[in-house]
């Protein structure tokens, strides 16, 4: 076949990525996941070519009758799963979901209270990100490394004095649920609103293991749909307040123009999977994280939040200062095909982002590929071989590739009965 060389070059890059990350690595990035075969099959359809600015029934373009149907369907499925009145599914990322929420609830010159990036805030929560781009000022919520959480008493004092317009909870380093109830009460007592960014833990909420912050008093929850919630990359916003919803929705066009419609069928399928299998998946995820943390400690690697039991989420964070820092460790783990990211820890200064104290792991993706507690004990040994015992990463890489061969299949949903998987295969064989 005669094709321009450039085509083969592109193909080679894609194939190399696919065989490496999909089949040869232990993927432990806490913000990633893999869709089921059914969701993936429904991702690439004609919908990805279309424009449908506006809301169902009120579009700026013709030709959107089935786009309306899928947008309404996915909103309905998500509303039911999360038991909320209003869902805005059109944000193409969690950051844009935050932009929509902040813009709807605050004006330039207002103030938002947020933890620091080192204590877990996502960059979009801060003056370096969306908050700053919207001209909203940032004050810091105090974080206790004893509790590995927001210091509620101190936070309440700060809120009372500074009277911010917004309080932003939720985090990218998120080991224990933030105190939504207390801080929502504090926010409402001064007429402020609470936005909870549940991007990382949306799948744990869908599985009923973490409480939906909207049910604890948050005014708005933002999220992304591809971390512990194993759907296509994207964002969403939810609220129970109709006026807030109208304000949010009116800002989608500001930040998004056309939304990425082809996400919706895959998001709908993932939502259905989570309805039926989300609880067992979320439970296994948090069990794996806890076991992984304990196994790392047993191997001589310091895990943060020891006195709090290390984690109640999908994440585990290690403090690798004495091994040369997060940048060095994340890089040598990558040489062994163990993929994680360097991460600031609360005592780090923001300028240390290029070599922070920590490395962050997430167990959610490998849990979906079938890893259980004993498998994460093995992963902890492989990591310790490199970090503690100083073994050659190239030698460990061979072991990792062998180990990963046992975990390559994602089923329709986590822990599906075999007959269900067969039905999905038959369905997929029919083509779209
Ligand atoms: N930066 C992402 C994370 O890894 O947590 C969140 O968008």
């Amino acid at each position: 076949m005669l094709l321009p060389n450039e085509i083969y070059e592109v193909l080679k890059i894609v194939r190399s990525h696919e065989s490496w990350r999909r089949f040869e690595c232990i993927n432990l990035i806490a913000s990633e996941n893999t869709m089921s075969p059914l969701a993936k099959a429904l991702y690439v359809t004609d919908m990805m070519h279309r424009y449908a600015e506006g809301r169902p029934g009120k579009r700026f373009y013709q030709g959107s009758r089935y786009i309306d149907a899928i947008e309404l369907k996915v909103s309905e499925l998500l509303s039911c799963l999360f038991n909320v009145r209003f869902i805005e599914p059109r944000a193409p990322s969690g950051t844009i979901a935050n932009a929509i929420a902040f813009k709807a609830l605050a004006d330039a010159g207002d103030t938002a209270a947020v933890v620091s990036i080192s204590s877990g805030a996502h960059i979009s929560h801060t003056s370096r990100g969306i908050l700053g781009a919207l001209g909203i000022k940032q004050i810091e919520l105090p974080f206790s490394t004893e509790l590995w959480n927001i210091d509620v008493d101190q936070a309440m004092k700060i809120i009372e004095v500074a009277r911010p317009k917004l309080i932003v909870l939720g985090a990218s380093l998120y080991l224990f649920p933030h105190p939504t109830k207390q801080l929502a009460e504090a926010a409402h007592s001064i007429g402020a609103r609470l936005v909870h960014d549940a991007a990382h833990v949306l799948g744990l909420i869908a599985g009923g293991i973490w409480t939906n912050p909207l049910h604890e008093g948050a005014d708005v929850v933002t999220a992304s749909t591809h971390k512990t919630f194993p759907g296509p990359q994207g964002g969403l916003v939810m609220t129970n307040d109709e006026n807030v919803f109208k304000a949010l929705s009116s800002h989608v066009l500001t930040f998004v123009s056309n939304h990425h419609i082809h996400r919706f069928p895959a998001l709908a399928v993932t939502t259905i999977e989570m309805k039926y299998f989300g609880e067992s998946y979320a439970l296994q995820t948090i069990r794996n994280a806890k076991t992984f943390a304990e196994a790392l400690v047993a191997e001589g690697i310091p895990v943060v939040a020891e006195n709090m039991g290390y984690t109640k989420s999908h994440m585990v964070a290690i403090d690798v200062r004495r091994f040369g820092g997060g940048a060095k460790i994340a890089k040598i783990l990558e040489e062994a095909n163990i993929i994680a990211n360097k991460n600031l820890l609360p005592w780090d200064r923001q300028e240390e982002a290029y070599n922070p104290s920590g490395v962050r792991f997430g167990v959610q993706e490998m849990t979906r590929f079938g890893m259980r507690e004993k498998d994460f004990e093995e992963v902890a040994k492989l990591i310790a071989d490199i970090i503690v015992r100083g073994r050659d990463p190239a030698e460990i890489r061979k072991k990792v590739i062998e180990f990963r061969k046992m975990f390559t299949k994602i089923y329709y949903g986590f822990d599906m009965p075999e007959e269900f998987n067969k039905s999905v295969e038959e369905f997929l064989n029919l083509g779209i």
Side-chain angles (χ1 to χ4, degrees):
M1 210 184 348
L2 207 58
L3 287 174
N5 257 345
E6 292 95 322
I7 296 282
Y8 293 105
E9 284 163 18
V10 171
L11 204 61
K12 192 168 164 225
I13 293 170
V14 175
R15 282 193 175 145
S16 302
H17 174 87
E18 186 81 6
S19 57
W20 183 49
R21 288 296 303 276
R22 174 69 175 77
F23 293 102
E24 295 181 349
C25 287
I26 298 175
N27 290 316
L28 298 174
I29 301 275
S31 47
E32 296 179 348
N33 216 317
T34 304
M35 286 192 278
S36 71
L38 187 54
K40 199 172 156 190
L42 293 177
Y43 190 71
V44 181
T45 69
D46 183 72
M47 287 188 182
M48 76 177 123
H49 306 123
R50 303 302 158 202
Y51 262 78
E53 283 176 2
R55 299 299 324 259
K58 279 181 157 186
R59 303 289 192 191
F60 294 97
Y61 295 81
Q62 298 311 121
S64 62
R65 70 177 73 138
Y66 300 112
I67 293 168
D68 286 7
I70 194 69
E71 191 168 321
L72 289 171
K73 174 53 85 185
V74 80
S75 300
E76 178 197 321
L77 286 165
L78 287 163
S79 286
C80 288
L81 183 66
F82 292 108
N83 188 21
V84 299
R85 289 182 68 206
F86 304 104
I87 291 279
E88 174 49 77
R90 290 178 293 164
S93 73
T95 288
I96 299 298
N98 283 336
I100 291 165
F102 299 163
K103 179 78 182 161
L105 298 176
D107 296 311
D110 287 338
T111 303
V114 190
V115 295
S116 67
I117 289 184
S118 315
S119 303
H122 186 251
I123 191 156
S124 63
H125 303 172
T126 71
S127 47
R128 293 173 66 117
I130 293 292
L131 208 67
L134 294 175
I136 302 168
K137 289 180 273 187
Q138 181 190 351
I139 55 165
E140 198 169 308
L141 286 174
F143 191 85
S144 154
T145 48
E146 273 301 297
L147 304 169
W148 208 270
N149 214 322
I150 293 164
D151 180 331
V152 176
D153 292 338
Q154 287 300 325
M156 287 200 181
K157 284 183 195 145
I158 288 169
I159 290 166
E160 214 177 298
V161 174
R163 301 184 79 78
K165 187 88 175 273
L166 283 183
I167 290 163
V168 182
L169 304 185
S172 292
L173 179 59
Y174 205 10
L175 302 172
F176 302 97
H178 281 171
T180 305
K181 193 167 179 296
Q182 293 101 310
L183 294 190
E185 280 165 14
H188 296 155
S189 73
I190 56 157
R193 307 273 202 173
L194 189 137
V195 177
H196 193 125
D197 181 343
H200 267 280
V201 292
L202 192 69
L204 305 180
I205 295 169
I209 306 300
W210 277 42
T211 306
N212 186 337
L214 270 193
H215 302 149
E216 297 182 304
D219 297 283
V220 170
V221 168
T222 60
S224 46
T225 53
H226 52 268
K227 295 181 166 81
T228 51
F229 193 90
Q233 288 204 343
L236 61 83
V237 191
M238 47 177 131
T239 182
N240 281 326
D241 183 321
E242 190 166 7
N243 290 329
V244 169
F245 178 65
K246 282 183 184 154
L248 295 167
S249 285
S250 74
H251 287 299
V252 173
L253 206 57
T254 318
F255 294 104
V256 183
S257 173
N258 194 48
H259 54 304
H260 299 173
I261 300 143
H262 64 288
R263 292 171 40 238
F264 288 158
L267 183 55
V269 164
T270 310
T271 308
I272 297 164
E273 289 170 11
M274 291 302 276
K275 173 178 168 184
Y276 289 101
F277 303 102
E279 185 179 354
S280 58
Y281 170 56
L283 254 179
Q284 189 62 50
T285 298
I286 59 162
R287 281 191 195 128
N288 283 349
K290 179 100 171 156
T291 302
F292 185 38
E294 287 164 355
L296 287 163
V297 170
E299 292 287 342
I301 299 172
V303 175
V304 304
E306 183 179 5
N307 59 333
M308 297 302 293
Y310 307 115
T311 182
K312 280 193 174 161
S313 74
H314 59 302
M315 280 185 203
V316 172
I318 58 175
D319 175 358
V320 288
R321 279 176 290 184
R322 84 164 118 107
F323 301 107
K328 175 182 162 199
I329 294 302
K331 194 161 182 314
I332 53 170
L333 289 176
E334 182 184 12
E335 284 169 32
N337 280 8
I338 297 172
I339 310 295
N341 65 282
K342 56 181 178 286
N343 217 94
L344 290 163
L345 294 178
W347 45 84
D348 289 328
R349 284 174 300 117
Q350 223 159 278
E351 301 75 57
E352 288 166 317
Y354 289 101
N355 190 22
S357 303
V359 171
R360 184 188 67 168
F361 298 120
V363 301
Q364 70 295 333
E365 181 173 353
M366 298 321 302
T367 300
R368 218 161 131 73
F369 278 100
M371 285 194 190
R372 300 291 197 271
E373 287 92 328
K374 65 178 180 3
D375 305 309
F376 277 99
E377 285 168 1
E378 281 309 306
V379 176
K381 281 193 191 120
L382 292 166
I383 291 173
D385 279 344
I386 300 163
I387 302 183
V388 181
R389 293 182 274 279
R391 300 261 299 270
D392 179 4
E395 180 200 328
I396 304 303
R397 182 167 64 232
K398 290 184 199 143
K399 288 188 177 185
V400 167
I401 291 170
E402 271 314 296
F403 185 68
R404 179 69 211 261
K405 282 184 183 154
M406 293 188 285
F407 309 100
T408 55
K409 192 152 181 182
I410 278 212
Y411 295 93
Y412 167 66
F414 181 83
D415 260 357
M416 290 298 274
E418 202 39 51
E419 66 268 20
F420 220 118
N421 289 318
K422 284 216 178 73
S423 307
V424 170
E425 267 168 38
E426 282 164 22
F427 183 82
L428 288 174
N429 285 339
L430 293 176
I432 306 291

